Amino acid sequence: MFKKYLWLAKIAAVLLFALSFTACKTNQIIAKKVKNEFKNSKVTDKYLYGFALYDLANKEMIFEHNGDRYFTPASNTKLFTFYAALKVAPDSIPSLRYVERGDSLIFWGTGDPSFLHTSLKGTKAFNFLKNTNKKLFYAPGRYTGDFYGNGWQWDDYNDYYQAEINELPLMDNLVTIASNKKRGIQVSPRLFSSCVSIDSPKTQGSFNVKRDFLQNHFTTPNVAIPNNFSQEIPYKVSLGLTVNLLADTLKKQIEVIDEKMPANAKTIYNLKTDTILKRMMLPSDNFVAEQLLLTYADKLGLELNAKKVIKYIEEKYLNDLPQKISWVDGSGLSRGNLFTPRDIIKLLEKIYQEENNQQKLFNMLPAGGKAGTLRNAYPKTDHPFVFGKTGTLSNNHNQSGYIITKKGKLFLFSFMNNNFVMPTSEVRNEMVRIVTYIHDNF
């Protein structure tokens, strides 16, 4: 009997070796063909690029070029913020912390981006404050960072994608100015209506609203507002404005109190984590990404500070990456972020292992030809084969994620393009061509 089992074990070992050898041989063929695609490319030879293709089933790097070189990732950084959520807050995101004392309710912010968010519409915390019969006291001071992330460009302050960071964000930290058939201009939140004025001289060019850099004074051009016009502009965050906005929305008085949050403060949760992650990833929402880091800090009992929570996550969950990373913000707006394609491949593998429901994971990511920032990059389809994250800054454009091939293989890839001066569309089209080639042929 023992000899029989020994014989079966030897047969199994031989079969396993044969399968491993076959996979290895197949991957060598794939590597050769992919290498030729890059060799024949008339685009990628004009700038610095890195590429890594990984076989998840066999845990083998199929092909890489500059896989250990550092690149500016732009919004590929959100993959790190995404993974951190799976480790730190896999179920729900904290929205408010509070204690009740007699007839008073004292509350602290957690950085929750969903609090009165115009798309996410997180209202549990808001309703909690609205429905209580206790006096409301807001205790600020938990956030210890700056209103911008490390290395952000200050001249982008007027653009919707660079909202300021704070511990109690309200309504995306944005003001929306839009055309209204009856009133001409409509301002939301309405509290900012008195902050909008018309520029005195006649203005040439397109209609564009400009905020003063250091204050909430918004200037519109001295021309008729176009039909269907809408512009989102970050507002200048301050304690007074936060309290006034919340009080105006709640229709309640709120007083400010100087008090440190006790360890036994209770927590109100607004939304499920996967709902917020989907909002961060599909439209590549920088505001959500930055604020999420603060909610992780709250969950971990840390100071609400991006630098400190990133350090914790790196040391606790990312200490096995191939190269040392430079990770400085949640969104990728900073050029201080530097990752290698190998780092991102390892991260994608960790994400896949952590969120072991493939359908759920892919539903939270942009899908080529169907959803999010990859919707228009690939031909329109109801059956996407690439799921991942784009990343774009001037002269930089990247894609990293998962490829499902026609033969049913699952590959991980990171395609990073930096320091080019050609139109981004040409770089994007070449990435799509090569990724599609991998899907079609393997």
Side-chain angles (χ1 to χ4, degrees):
M1 183 64 72
F2 175 75
K3 289 183 178 180
K4 179 181 179 181
Y5 284 124
L6 183 62
W7 178 78
L8 289 173
K10 287 181 178 179
I11 293 294
V14 170
L15 289 173
L16 184 63
F17 174 79
L19 289 172
S20 176
F21 178 78
T22 301
C24 180
K25 194 69 175 176
T26 300
N27 285 343
Q28 288 177 2
I29 294 171
I30 294 173
K32 184 177 181 180
K33 291 184 176 181
V34 172
K35 183 178 180 179
N36 284 336
E37 288 301 307
F38 280 103
K39 185 178 179 180
N40 296 328
S41 173
K42 296 180 181 180
V43 177
T44 56
D45 63 344
K46 297 178 181 178
Y47 54 80
L48 177 65
Y49 78 91
F51 181 80
L53 184 67
Y54 182 78
D55 181 345
L56 183 61
N58 293 293
K59 298 189 179 302
E60 179 184 7
M61 186 69 77
I62 300 172
F63 172 76
E64 61 180 326
H65 174 82
N66 287 333
D68 58 353
R69 297 284 295 273
Y70 286 95
F71 292 84
T72 300
S75 282
N76 274 200
T77 304
K78 292 184 177 73
L79 288 166
F80 287 80
T81 308
F82 184 95
Y83 176 67
L86 301 181
K87 298 299 293 186
V88 175
D91 183 71
S92 302
I93 297 297
S95 187
L96 284 182
R97 306 293 298 277
Y98 72 97
V99 295
E100 294 176 302
R101 294 178 188 160
D103 65 348
S104 301
L105 189 152
I106 305 170
F107 63 97
W108 293 261
T110 65
D112 174 27
S114 74
F115 191 72
L116 294 179
H117 190 278
T118 52
S119 296
L120 290 168
K121 302 186 185 303
T123 57
K124 285 184 180 178
F126 176 80
N127 290 335
F128 173 73
L129 297 178
K130 188 174 182 62
N131 295 330
T132 183
N133 58 4
K134 297 181 181 296
K135 296 178 181 178
L136 297 179
F137 294 86
Y138 171 52
R142 296 190 71 202
Y143 177 55
T144 59
D146 293 322
F147 59 87
Y148 280 162
N150 184 345
W152 287 12
Q153 294 189 174
W154 285 35
D155 56 355
D156 288 342
Y157 78 94
N158 203 70
D159 295 313
Y160 74 93
Y161 54 78
Q162 194 159 295
E164 295 189 6
I165 307 167
N166 67 324
E167 64 199 84
L168 188 61
L170 302 171
M171 305 162 192
D172 319 13
N173 283 356
L174 296 172
V175 173
T176 301
I177 297 179
S179 58
N180 182 287
K181 290 182 179 180
K182 293 182 179 180
R183 296 189 293 272
I185 291 180
Q186 183 172 338
V187 181
S188 179
R190 64 176 186 175
L191 199 65
F192 290 97
S193 297
S194 61
C195 302
V196 179
S197 63
I198 299 174
D199 199 13
S200 53
K202 283 287 184 179
T203 308
Q204 300 295 324
S206 60
F207 195 96
N208 185 60
V209 183
K210 195 79 171 178
R211 193 201 85 201
D212 290 354
F213 180 63
L214 294 175
Q215 60 181 331
N216 287 312
H217 176 233
F218 303 84
T219 304
T220 66
N222 190 7
V223 293
I225 186 170
N227 292 331
N228 301 318
F229 174 85
S230 182
Q231 182 180 345
E232 295 176 319
I233 311 105
Y235 62 74
K236 186 68 185 168
V237 171
S238 68
L239 173 58
L241 178 59
T242 297
V243 172
N244 288 338
L245 270 176
L246 185 55
D248 183 67
T249 310
L250 285 170
K251 309 301 181 187
K252 281 187 171 186
Q253 182 177 350
I254 300 174
E255 295 185 33
V256 176
I257 187 172
D258 182 10
E259 184 163 340
K260 186 176 180 180
M261 188 184 78
N264 65 346
K266 296 179 181 179
T267 305
I268 295 288
Y269 293 89
N270 248 355
L271 294 175
K272 292 292 186 180
T273 299
D274 54 358
T275 300
I276 300 181
L277 290 181
K278 188 173 182 178
R279 170 65 200 183
M280 175 178 71
M281 299 301 278
L282 264 65
S284 198
D285 194 312
N286 296 328
F287 166 75
V288 170
E290 296 302 333
Q291 296 292 156
L292 273 177
L293 287 182
L294 304 190
T295 67
Y296 305 160
D298 178 80
K299 286 281 290 184
L300 294 167
L302 301 174
E303 203 174 300
L304 299 195
N305 183 288
K307 183 177 181 180
K308 293 185 178 182
V309 74
I310 286 173
K311 181 180 179 182
Y312 179 95
I313 294 165
E314 282 189 66
E315 293 176 351
K316 181 75 172 178
Y317 303 116
L318 299 173
N319 54 18
D320 58 346
L321 295 182
Q323 277 85 38
K324 179 178 174 59
I325 63 174
S326 174
W327 179 18
V328 302
D329 71 4
S331 63
L333 278 172
S334 175
R335 292 176 186 265
N337 297 301
L338 290 171
F339 308 135
T340 71
R342 285 184 186 175
D343 288 329
I344 294 183
I345 290 293
K346 182 64 177 179
L347 179 72
L348 289 167
E349 184 177 28
K350 290 164 79 72
I351 289 172
Y352 194 87
Q353 291 169 345
E354 195 67 31
E355 181 50 79
N356 54 17
N357 183 328
Q358 179 176 295
Q359 183 177 353
K360 181 180 177 183
L361 171 60
F362 287 178
N363 187 52
M364 290 187 281
L365 299 175
K370 185 176 183 180
T373 54
L374 286 172
R375 180 181 57 190
N376 296 323
Y378 291 80
K380 185 177 179 180
T381 179
D382 289 327
H383 304 285
F385 59 81
V386 58
F387 304 84
K389 189 72 199 75
T390 58
T392 307
L393 291 171
S394 55
N395 314 109
N396 298 274
H397 188 56
N398 315 299
Q399 282 184 27
S400 298
Y402 307 88
I403 304 171
I404 299 176
T405 73
K406 278 190 174 180
K407 294 181 180 179
K409 296 178 182 292
L410 179 59
F411 292 156
L412 280 54
F413 79 102
S414 182
F415 202 155
M416 310 189 79
N417 307 273
N418 282 191
N419 304 327
F420 57 80
V421 294
M422 64 179 63
T424 299
S425 59
E426 293 184 24
V427 177
R428 181 187 302 111
N429 291 342
E430 185 66 356
M431 281 199 294
V432 169
R433 184 188 72 79
I434 291 176
V435 169
T436 303
Y437 172 84
I438 294 169
H439 162 262
D440 290 347
N441 289 278
F442 309 116

